[in-house]
Amino acid sequence: MSFFLTILERLSLRAKLAIGFGALLLLPALVGGFALDTESRLNDHMQHAYEVDLLGVASAKDTQIHHARMDRSLHQALLSPDDAQRAPALRQLLDAQLALDQEILKLEPRTAQTEAHKSLERVINDYSVYRLYVDEAVGLLRQNKVAQAVALVNSTTFLSSSTATASSIATLIRVKQDQAHDTALTAQRLATERGQLTYGLLGLAAGLGLLLVWVISLSVVQPVNRLRLAVQHLAKGQLNTPIPHTDFHNETGNLARSIQVLQQGALDMEDQSWLKLNLSQIGGALRAVGSFSELSQCLFSSLAPIITIGHGAFYIFEEETRRLRLLGGYANQQRKSLGQYFSIGQGLVGQCALERRPIVLSQPPADYLPIHSSLGQAAPNAIALQPILRNDRLMGVLELAMLEDFGPREQALLDELMPTLAMNLEILERNVKTGKLLEETQRQAQAMQEQASRLEQQALALDALEWTLKDTEAWFRSIIESAPDGMLVVDDQATIILANPHLEAMFGYAAGETLGKPVETLVPDSVREHHVGLRDAYISGIELSRRMSGISYELRGRRKDGTEFPVEVGL
């Protein structure tokens, strides 16, 4: 009943009304249809009895007649004194043979039953043997070997084949007659049974009609009630309430899908509001931090109540060492047990940095990363790793273990948060670099002040020291103010420790790429060995100054790609 009711609920209202009104006409239509079916079955039996049984009996008897004609024509041909009188007999034999072949072809579709079909197969087999002998005898007659033909026809084998053919044909006739009789009995029995079923059908159809009307009414009322309850839940703010019957292709389904569209619009608006509110709150909190450790702590404190974090780890990328360093964690039982460093591609953290796309593990094993608290421990429902990128530059990786499922809403929050987090990392990074540069400038200024004090005490060298101090001040000022010319500073090992962007662009290097390289990297290969002695002499103080403008030959530099170009050099 429930299955039938489910099918009715999927029908359109027009179809249900048609079924309901049709139930009122079910009784006469059903009885009439049953009567027509009874008549059709009886006609089928009668037609079968005529086309298969009666015509089959007639064909079998015709086969018997044509077989007798073949025997008679063959004997008549044997008794003919010459070819002229033998020819009509042979033509009659051929006509009888063709007629017998046609009757056998007619019998094949009229012997579908097993016994009749077997009888026909015996007739065909016996007739095939008999026909071979007849053909052989006719061939002898055509060769005027009458005596041999007579001997063949009077032989035991020929007579046996003729007798077997006649016997199998007689058996086939008897089988077909029995089948015709059985068909007549079956038709009579069918008429009696169908009459009894007609009276029983009258009462059954009336009961089914009433039951069908009641079920149709339920199929209309129940889906509407389910939709009404769903709308009531939506009105109360329960937006995740499932809308029933959205798969129905009828009026109820159209109404359900319309409600679902409204529900999805409300869910989208709620998700957008939730996303914007949380991004605004987290972004405001992150902008107020002043250090990397505060950034990590503020990030986890803001995210934990929103996406139910059980564990968390924040790694920043160190470009100098090309590895990820642990910046901070959240709710880790033993912080020292966390990986302090990860190389690119190492572990899930390194893999996330390598692929530069989020990695989410749903339902990890219970012992993969247990979440501990004072009340016990539990396995996380999901583990998410999120790369922190700024203009395709890797800034870090965020690893989170969640107590609840990690869905599209949480992923959208992290996706939208990562650019803000990357920007804060970059700002902190610049602030740190600026602070270090200011500290270095202050330290150097203090050193210059101390040097000035010493110069004041050394009156004889005051002019030279003041000149040196002014040059030093101008040099550091030019570093800060980014001089338009290419500039670099090397240590006592001729290793580049500072280079401005103009110089690196001039030599075809990316920002910071020349740091740590020997200064000979920028010198052409042809003079590189000679240059080592010159710069060692200069660094050791043997040659206190060097004016490059007075050199008669052209100085050339070597770019990263190996090409050379003319340069002017001042040391």
Side-chain angles (χ1 to χ4, degrees), residues 474-502:
W475 181 65
F476 282 108
R477 189 177 299 111
S478 65
I479 294 175
I480 296 174
E481 295 175 356
S482 300
D485 295 329
M487 296 187 63
L488 62 84
V489 178
V490 300
D491 59 11
D492 56 355
Q493 301 297 323
T495 300
I496 299 173
I497 62 174
L498 180 63
N500 67 355
H502 188 73

Side-chain angles (χ1 to χ4, degrees), residues 48 50 66 165 171 253 275 283 331-332 360 362 372 378 384 411 413 424 442 530:
H48 182 273
Y50 173 73
H66 294 315
T165 302
T171 302
L275 187 62
N332 295 293
V360 178
S362 300
H372 298 271
Q411 184 63 59
L413 176 62
N424 280 271
Q442 292 173 356
H530 178 65

Side-chain angles (χ1 to χ4, degrees), residues 2 22 60 182 228 371 439 474 533 554 571:
S2 61
D182 292 340
R228 178 176 55 81
I371 298 175
E439 290 178 1
E554 182 184 54
L571 304 182

Side-chain angles (χ1 to χ4, degrees), residues 546-549 555-556 567-571:
R546 186 171 180 82
R547 300 297 179 183
M548 308 300 292
S549 59
L555 296 178
R556 300 184 67 82
V567 296
E568 293 182 1
V569 180
L571 304 182

Side-chain angles (χ1 to χ4, degrees), residues 175-439:
V175 170
K176 292 301 294 178
Q177 289 175 343
D178 292 341
Q179 289 178 352
H181 181 263
D182 292 340
T183 301
L185 292 177
T186 302
Q188 182 181 3
R189 186 166 55 252
L190 176 64
T192 302
E193 293 174 354
R194 285 285 178 150
Q196 296 173 351
L197 288 174
T198 300
Y199 292 108
L201 189 60
L202 290 173
L204 179 62
L208 289 177
L210 295 175
L211 179 62
L212 182 60
V213 171
W214 177 70
V215 172
I216 288 175
S217 64
L218 286 180
S219 69
V220 175
V221 173
Q222 288 185 355
V224 174
N225 289 336
R226 296 189 192 107
L227 288 177
R228 178 176 55 81
L229 291 175
V231 172
Q232 290 176 355
H233 289 305
L234 294 178
K236 294 178 182 179
Q238 301 174 7
L239 299 180
N240 290 320
T241 300
I243 306 301
H245 310 315
T246 55
D247 57 334
F248 284 12
H249 300 286
N250 56 11
E251 294 82 358
T252 304
N254 294 334
L255 179 59
R257 285 186 288 273
S258 299
I259 297 174
Q260 189 179 47
V261 170
L262 296 176
Q263 179 194 35
Q264 188 60 46
L267 286 172
D268 292 341
M269 293 179 60
E270 184 188 39
D271 289 343
Q272 290 297 323
S273 300
W274 178 86
L275 187 62
K276 291 179 180 179
L277 176 63
N278 289 312
L279 284 175
S280 176
Q281 293 176 349
I282 297 174
L286 293 179
R287 284 192 292 272
V289 302
S291 65
F292 287 104
S293 58
E294 290 180 6
L295 179 68
S296 174
Q297 182 179 359
C298 178
L299 175 65
F300 287 123
S301 298
S302 302
L303 278 178
I306 299 175
I307 57 178
T308 62
I309 299 176
H311 281 330
F314 188 5
Y315 293 86
I316 60 173
F317 181 62
E318 297 178 340
E319 293 184 346
E320 296 81 3
T321 58
R322 303 292 298 172
R323 64 179 181 176
L324 295 153
R325 176 174 61 85
L326 179 65
L327 179 63
Y330 178 82
N332 295 293
Q333 189 179 25
Q334 294 181 350
R335 189 180 187 278
K336 294 183 178 180
S337 64
L338 294 175
Q340 301 296 312
Y341 295 95
F342 283 96
S343 301
I344 299 297
Q346 178 186 5
L348 284 178
V349 175
Q351 188 66 28
C352 180
L354 178 63
E355 297 182 4
R356 298 195 174 197
R357 64 178 181 85
I359 297 177
V360 178
L361 300 179
S362 300
Q363 300 297 328
D367 58 348
Y368 184 80
L369 181 65
I371 298 175
H372 298 271
S373 71
S374 61
L375 300 178
Q377 69 178 32
N381 279 346
I383 296 175
L385 294 98
Q386 192 81 19
I388 306 171
L389 303 174
R390 176 72 172 170
N391 297 329
D392 291 333
R393 178 192 172 197
L394 179 64
M395 305 292 292
V397 172
L398 185 64
E399 183 178 23
L400 304 173
M402 272 73 68
L403 292 169
E404 296 181 357
D405 292 336
F406 186 76
R409 175 191 263 194
E410 290 76 13
Q411 184 63 59
L413 176 62
L414 291 183
D415 290 340
E416 295 290 335
L417 180 61
M418 289 305 103
T420 303
L421 182 58
M423 183 178 65
N424 280 271
L425 280 174
E426 188 176 41
I427 292 173
L428 287 176
E429 186 181 70
R430 290 179 178 176
N431 291 341
V432 170
K433 289 182 179 179
T434 303
K436 289 182 179 179
L437 185 59
L438 290 175
E439 290 178 1

Side-chain angles (χ1 to χ4, degrees), residues 146-163:
V146 179
Q148 295 179 7
V150 172
L152 175 62
V153 171
N154 292 327
S155 65
T156 305
T157 53
F158 182 90
L159 295 176
S160 297
S161 64
S162 178
T163 302

